[in-house]
RNA sequence: GCCGCGUUGGUCAAGGGGUUAAGACGCCUCCCUUUCACGGAGGAAUCACGGGUUCGAAUCCCGUACGUGGUACCA
């Protein structure tokens, strides 16, 4: 087998959807598993849908995910250009070739005429509203027109498109790596537009031409492309021969969690979770759509959760590093059916990744979180200690602020409702003595602080438990966080004493 | 409407003729911790339906239902 080469072909029309990232991921994993190349080709043939900044944003997302292409607009490569708008001239000759061979034709129908045609079909109660063999001889195209008429129209500069001429009574079949043998009746497929009036190819032509020219060995895309697969297969047959055609796999869709249909950005807004990989700002409306990155996901977790949405290796393993995924991934194990996205499970993956990450690997990420909350970090070693102490209770990276801020700042208000019912003169006197005792603790560590605390409690004849809760609220402000004595040790002697004394004035 | 694809607990899923039908998320109970998590022990909950084939179907076949995608000079 020749070298494995796969491509992801986004169109720069907006934010990068989770389903898009998963398509990237499956492409990437397959390529790397087989020692092949991963190519990103920008499909910007629709100028009306082009959005400023979208292309750059897509590459930023891939970078964040760690799924870097071997070849692309950004990375270069032997098959440049990688932007279809820059390849415009290439497609025309293949369209001409198809026309000459009788596999395609010129169509001069205006959009009004097309609309009228569909209206009429509908009125007649037709089952199909397609531009197909049933109606094409009644339309304004080179199939019906005399050659002279066509030539005259072309000479006059009449706008036209090129359509594929779907053959009658044929079955187009191919093997899908996920679904197996698939077969389509050409009678049910329409004469798709190949070249638009502006001279740009549609997806149908461009994907076939570029996959050939770029020596793509395996073509993976979403399930929504299945119905037009016969068009692509036929184009391969007419243009380059079926032997050169890449192997296909149509990936299952990612569905909305609650009801029906493909997951969309709207569902995220509605249900309160991100759908895009990173924050996306609409250049027209300046509206920001939240991304997984900014919400607090680790890229490893994001990649992990996407990988197991529609794929698993048959074992019970759920946590995979990218290296393990590359090793274990196989297209045959990808499911046929779509999967509903479950944000709760997504968060669980992130939680697991935070727990299993070593503090130094979390350092810069957590530092950013702290700093974006106006908490400046001057001591990395101290932050490392804090990370180690609180990471198991952080589901999102952004949780590190709530879970860790009291290590840096004394509380300004306290959970008084929990303290006051238990607060009395005896407790007050205990803490006064305790603050003093802390001055003289010789070695400032957990055991010494705890021993001092407990000995003093016994002396004052008060139950240790109640005292501990109050001590916690003094240090933290609320009933949360790691062990109290661990916190005391971490924040240090001066700070611990100061917090107790300050609390004493407010309780 | 027409064409295609799909269907194992609420969700992700293993299992591809004989299983008490794994596991995970979430939920509930308990233990640990006089905090919150982590961790641990339990629990409720599933093969869409109807026909075949077979000694035996979650597994194979056919229907039906439901879901979903396409049906653009969008990708």
């Amino acid at each position: 087998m020749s070298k494995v080469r796969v491509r992801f072909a986004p169109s720069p029309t907006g934010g990068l959807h989770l389903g898009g990232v998963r398509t990237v991921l499956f492409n990437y994993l397959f390529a790397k598993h087989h020692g092949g190349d991963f190519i990103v080709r920008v499909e910007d043939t629709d100028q009306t849908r082009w959005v400023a900044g979208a292309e750059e944003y897509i590459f930023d997302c891939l970078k964040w995910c760690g799924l870097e292409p071997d070849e692309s607009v950004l990375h270069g490569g032997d098959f440049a250009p990688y932007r279809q708008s820059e390849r415009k001239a290439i497609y025309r000759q293949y369209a001409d070739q198809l026309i000459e061979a009788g596999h395609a034709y010129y169509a001069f129908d205006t959009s009004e005429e097309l609309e009228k045609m569909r209206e009429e079909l509908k009125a007649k109660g037709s089952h199909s509203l397609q531009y197909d063999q049933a109606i094409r001889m009644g339309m304004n195209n080179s199939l019906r027109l005399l050659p002279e008429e066509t030539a005259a129209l072309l000479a006059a500069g009449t706008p036209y498109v090129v359509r594929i001429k779907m053959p009658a009574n044929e079955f187009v079949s191919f093997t899908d790596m996920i679904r197996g043998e698939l077969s389509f009746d050409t009678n049910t497929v329409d004469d798709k537009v190949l070249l638009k009036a502006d001279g740009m190819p549609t997806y149908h032509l461009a994907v076939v031409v570029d996959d050939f020219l770029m020596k793509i060995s395996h073509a993976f895309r979403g399930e929504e492309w299945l119905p037009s697969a016969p068009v692509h297969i036929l184009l391969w047959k007419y243009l380059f021969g079926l032997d050169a055609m890449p192997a296909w796999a149509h990936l299952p869709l990612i569905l909305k969690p609650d009801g029906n249909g493909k997951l969309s950005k709207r569902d995220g807004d509605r249900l309160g979770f991100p759908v895009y990989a990173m924050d996306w700002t609409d250049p027209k409306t300046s509206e920001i759509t939240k991304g997984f990155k900014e919400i607090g996901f680790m890229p490893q977790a994001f990649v992990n959760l996407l990988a197991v949405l529609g794929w698993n290796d048959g074992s019970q393993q759920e946590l995979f590093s990218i290296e393990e995924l590359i090793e274990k991934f196989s297209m045959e194990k990808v499911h046929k059916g779509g999967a509903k996205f479950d944000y709760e499970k997504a968060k669980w993956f992130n939680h697991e990744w935070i727990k299993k990450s070593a503090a130094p690997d979390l350092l810069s990420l957590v530092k950013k979180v702290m700093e974006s909350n106006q908490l400046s970090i001057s001591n990395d070693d101290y932050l490392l200690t804090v990370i180690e102490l609180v990471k198991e209770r952080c589901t999102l990276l952004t949780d590190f602020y709530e879970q860790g801020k009291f290590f840096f700042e004394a509380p300004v208000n306290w959970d008084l409702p929990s303290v006051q019912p238990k607060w009395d003169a005896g407790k007050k006197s205990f803490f006064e003595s305790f603050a003093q005792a802390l001055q003289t603790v010789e070695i400032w560590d957990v055991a010494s602080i705890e021993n001092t605390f407990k000995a003093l409690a016994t002396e004052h004849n008060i139950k240790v438990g109640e005292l501990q809760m109050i001590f916690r609220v003094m240090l933290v402000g609320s009933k949360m966080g790691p062990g109290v004595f661990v916190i005391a040790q971490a924040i240090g002697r001066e700070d611990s004493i100061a917090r107790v004394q300050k609390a004493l004035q407010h309780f």
Side-chain angles (χ1 to χ4, degrees), chain A residues 292-341:
Chain A
F292 278 86
K293 180 188 177 197
E294 289 79 3
I295 286 273
F297 275 77
M298 294 180 68
Q300 296 93 323
F302 186 52
V303 162
N304 190 160
L305 74 93
L306 252 21
V308 296
L309 205 55
W311 170 85
N312 76 81
D313 70 342
S315 76
Q316 287 187 25
Q317 185 174 351
E318 293 194 279
L319 263 21
F320 296 92
S321 66
I322 190 76
E323 291 79 15
E324 287 175 299
L325 288 171
I326 290 170
E327 185 197 328
K328 295 180 174 173
F329 185 78
S330 94
M331 202 53 80
E332 284 71 22
K333 286 257 178 196
V334 175
H335 291 187
K336 297 184 178 89
K340 289 184 183 173
F341 180 69

Side-chain angles (χ1 to χ4, degrees), chain A residues 129-394:
Chain A
L129 305 179
Q130 303 187 126
Y131 196 120
D132 58 15
Q133 49 188 299
I135 66 120
R136 68 178 162 227
M137 291 317 281
M139 302 300 289
N140 192 15
N141 58 49
S142 63
L143 251 26
R144 200 208 60 185
L145 267 21
L146 263 16
E148 309 86 85
E149 293 176 314
T150 301
L153 282 169
L154 290 175
T158 314
Y160 66 89
V161 300
V162 174
R163 286 180 182 272
I164 185 173
K165 184 184 174 194
M166 286 304 288
N169 309 318
E170 276 186 30
F171 281 89
V172 175
S173 29
F174 69 101
T175 307
D176 185 285
M177 292 170 74
I178 297 170
R179 290 151 209 278
E181 280 307 307
L182 258 21
S183 184
F184 294 83
D185 182 351
T186 55
N187 293 326
T188 65
V189 183
D190 61 340
D191 291 352
K192 290 252 182 291
V193 170
L194 264 21
L195 208 63
K196 303 188 252 188
D198 64 1
M200 278 288 190
T202 59
Y203 171 83
H204 306 296
L205 212 215
V207 72
V208 170
V209 169
D210 285 341
D211 281 353
F212 171 75
L213 261 16
M214 295 183 179
K215 296 189 160 49
I216 299 303
S217 64
H218 300 261
F220 309 138
R221 71 217 315 191
E223 187 186 337
E224 68 269 26
W225 290 106
L226 215 38
S228 56
V231 175
H232 312 313
I233 311 283
L234 247 19
L235 252 19
W236 268 99
K237 184 176 160 191
Y238 298 152
L239 254 16
F240 312 116
L242 258 16
D243 290 343
M245 187 170 74
W248 298 97
H250 291 87
L251 275 20
L253 268 12
I254 298 178
L255 278 9
K256 48 186 84 190
D258 55 347
N260 330 306
K262 267 201 290 196
L263 181 69
S264 74
K265 166 182 126 39
R266 276 254 155 263
D267 300 310
D269 299 343
R270 181 170 57 87
L271 271 10
F273 60 80
V275 168
Y276 290 162
M278 290 170 45
D279 276 8
W280 163 251
T281 308
D282 187 302
K284 287 213 177 68
T285 63
S286 294
E287 184 199 347
I288 297 175
T289 307
K290 274 283 169 201
F292 278 86
K293 180 188 177 197
E294 289 79 3
I295 286 273
F297 275 77
M298 294 180 68
Q300 296 93 323
F302 186 52
V303 162
N304 190 160
L305 74 93
L306 252 21
V308 296
L309 205 55
W311 170 85
N312 76 81
D313 70 342
S315 76
Q316 287 187 25
Q317 185 174 351
E318 293 194 279
L319 263 21
F320 296 92
S321 66
I322 190 76
E323 291 79 15
E324 287 175 299
L325 288 171
I326 290 170
E327 185 197 328
K328 295 180 174 173
F329 185 78
S330 94
M331 202 53 80
E332 284 71 22
K333 286 257 178 196
V334 175
H335 291 187
K336 297 184 178 89
K340 289 184 183 173
F341 180 69
D342 181 355
Y343 187 53
E344 291 306 317
K345 182 99 185 206
K347 284 193 292 191
W348 175 81
F349 276 103
N350 203 56
H351 193 11
E352 292 299 312
W353 268 93
I354 288 178
K355 279 191 290 176
K356 70 184 268 189
S357 296
D361 295 332
L362 260 9
L363 183 66
S364 70
L365 295 169
V366 175
K367 207 167 174 176
K368 265 180 219 139
V369 168
M370 295 311 204
E371 282 166 355
S372 68
N373 282 287
Q374 281 75 50
L375 204 66
S376 66
I377 305 295
S378 52
N379 184 342
D380 281 0
D381 285 339
Y382 183 47
L383 181 56
L384 245 19
T385 305
V386 172
I387 291 172
E388 200 52 66
L389 254 21
V390 304
K391 67 177 186 176
E392 69 197 18
R393 59 199 81 208
C394 295

